[in-house]
Amino acid sequence: MKLRLTLGATVVALLPLCSMTLAPVAAQAQQYARDNLPSPVIRGFNVEEVRRLAPGVELHFDLYGTPGGTATLRIDGATRNVYMTETEPGQYVGTYTIGARDRIANNSAVTANLRVGNRVATDVLAESVVRDGAPRPNRRGDLATVPKIERFEVRASDELVPGSDLGFTVFGTPGARVELTITGARGVFFLPEVRAGEYAADYTIRRDDRIAPDSRVTATIRANGRYTSQVLGRPLLAGAPRPVAGTPTTAPRTARYCTNCATVEAVNVVEVSGQGNYLGTAAGAVIGGLLGNQVGSGSGRTAATVAGAVGGGLVGNNIERNRNRSQRYEVVVRYTGNGATQTLQYENDPGFRAGDAVRVNNGVLSRDQ
């Protein structure tokens, strides 16, 4: 009898240690998952150029890249950084208001960082923040070799509507940087070097784009402080005639769906347990000790009293924790255009169910009427 009571008290006393041991294991698993996320990619980075730099003037930036990350900007001569907001999957926007103590110049470098987990992608703005601003100085000297574009191709799309892909390929000087601009689309977009001297990437048409079959597409290749540009000589719409210089741009086709439309994949209910306080633990320990004192006699009674106090403390702590328990709701949506997923959190039941058609506007979920 004494041995049984002693073993019971020991098991009860070891229960908190088990929970403490499992916590670091879960934390290590989460850390491993974060460390093994794919490396982020910045596909576009541009600024809405201003006429002059003065206190109160706003600089608006756009960044396009891997969705679900954290994007920040650093401007040379600025007194603070810019924290960007993801308005749509993979599209980040941010605004910097010039202050009286800022010393931002026409050719101030602007550096973007896109972090996903523990991995960071970095890029530097290629254009000036001032319209018709001074070009960036040539750090390699005027005798640097001018990069060349040997060929500029496009994989045209059957429809120029949001969600359609246009595949661009540039062949030229290896080890350079290739930028792309499309009339009717905001921003400068980058083509990564997939093989030596071959730069290629797909551009997915966005909801606000106004791209026509004969929209002007310009590729710029930069290396050693020098650059060369070339205009695409092919239509963007499959089967359309080649664009003719001097002809007016035709109106874009009407979009049939939007890039912020999504479908609810799941609604998860997450229980959050509050922390039990010392009052609940102490009260449970006292009651458990009194009950244990009524069992056995001599050293057996002492062991039962200890076991009852420890077990009662755990019970009291659990009762207090359950009393403070609350629920949170997570809504997982999948975007119609690109298949990306996003999780939105709510304090109360948002009323959505799996399969509901919704729209996401600046992190706010609404039904798609």
Side-chain angles (χ1 to χ4, degrees), residues 296-308:
S297 60
S299 60
R301 173 175 294 180
T302 301
T305 302
V306 173

Side-chain angles (χ1 to χ4, degrees), residues 22 35 50 66 68 71 75 77 92 105 111 140 161 170-171 196 257 265 270 359:
L22 292 175
D35 291 343
V50 296
T66 304
I75 308 172
Y92 304 83
T111 305
R140 299 291 185 90
V161 298
V170 170
F171 297 90
Y257 61 95
E265 283 212 334
V270 181
R359 289 175 182 257

Side-chain angles (χ1 to χ4, degrees), residues 160 183-184 210-216 237 240-241 243 247-253:
L160 298 179
T183 300
R210 297 293 181 267
I211 298 176
D214 56 351
S215 286
R216 182 186 180 94
L237 183 65
T247 57
T249 301
T250 58
R253 302 179 65 176

Side-chain angles (χ1 to χ4, degrees), residues 111-286:
T111 305
N113 290 324
L114 178 60
R115 176 183 294 274
V116 177
N118 290 331
R119 300 178 182 271
V120 179
T122 301
D123 214 323
V124 178
L125 187 67
E127 54 189 318
S128 171
V129 295
V130 177
R131 190 174 301 125
D132 299 325
R136 296 181 183 264
N138 180 6
R139 294 188 175 89
R140 299 291 185 90
D142 295 333
L143 298 179
T145 303
V146 177
K148 297 180 180 179
I149 295 179
E150 298 172 358
R151 198 162 76 251
F152 185 15
E153 299 178 350
V154 62
R155 188 186 68 250
S157 176
D158 293 330
E159 296 180 294
L160 298 179
V161 298
S164 299
D165 289 333
L166 296 168
F168 295 98
T169 305
V170 170
F171 297 90
T173 303
R177 168 192 175 104
V178 174
E179 306 162 0
L180 208 67
T181 59
I182 308 173
T183 300
R186 287 187 59 191
V188 178
F189 305 94
F190 307 141
L191 301 185
E193 189 172 15
V194 295
R195 281 179 288 273
E198 179 181 349
Y199 306 82
D202 286 350
Y203 175 78
T204 302
I205 299 177
R206 303 192 303 271
R207 179 187 57 186
D208 297 331
D209 288 343
R210 297 293 181 267
I211 298 176
D214 56 351
S215 286
R216 182 186 180 94
V217 184
T218 304
T220 301
I221 185 168
R222 300 178 184 270
N224 301 324
R226 310 294 293 273
Y227 69 92
T228 299
S229 296
Q230 183 173 318
V231 177
L232 181 69
R234 298 176 178 272
L236 302 180
L237 183 65
R242 288 177 178 268
V244 179
T247 57
T249 301
T250 58
R253 302 179 65 176
T254 304
R256 296 187 302 178
Y257 61 95
C258 61
T259 56
N260 68 332
C261 294
T263 303
V264 176
E265 283 212 334
V267 179
N268 302 321
V269 181
V270 181
E271 289 193 354
V272 181
S273 298
Q275 296 295 325
N277 60 32
Y278 70 92
L279 292 177
T281 304
V286 171

Side-chain angles (χ1 to χ4, degrees), residues 52-75:
R52 64 190 183 92
L53 297 173
V57 173
E58 293 183 338
L59 300 175
H60 302 284
F61 297 93
D62 296 300
L63 187 144
Y64 306 89
T66 304
T70 302
T72 58
L73 301 179
R74 185 180 71 255
I75 308 172

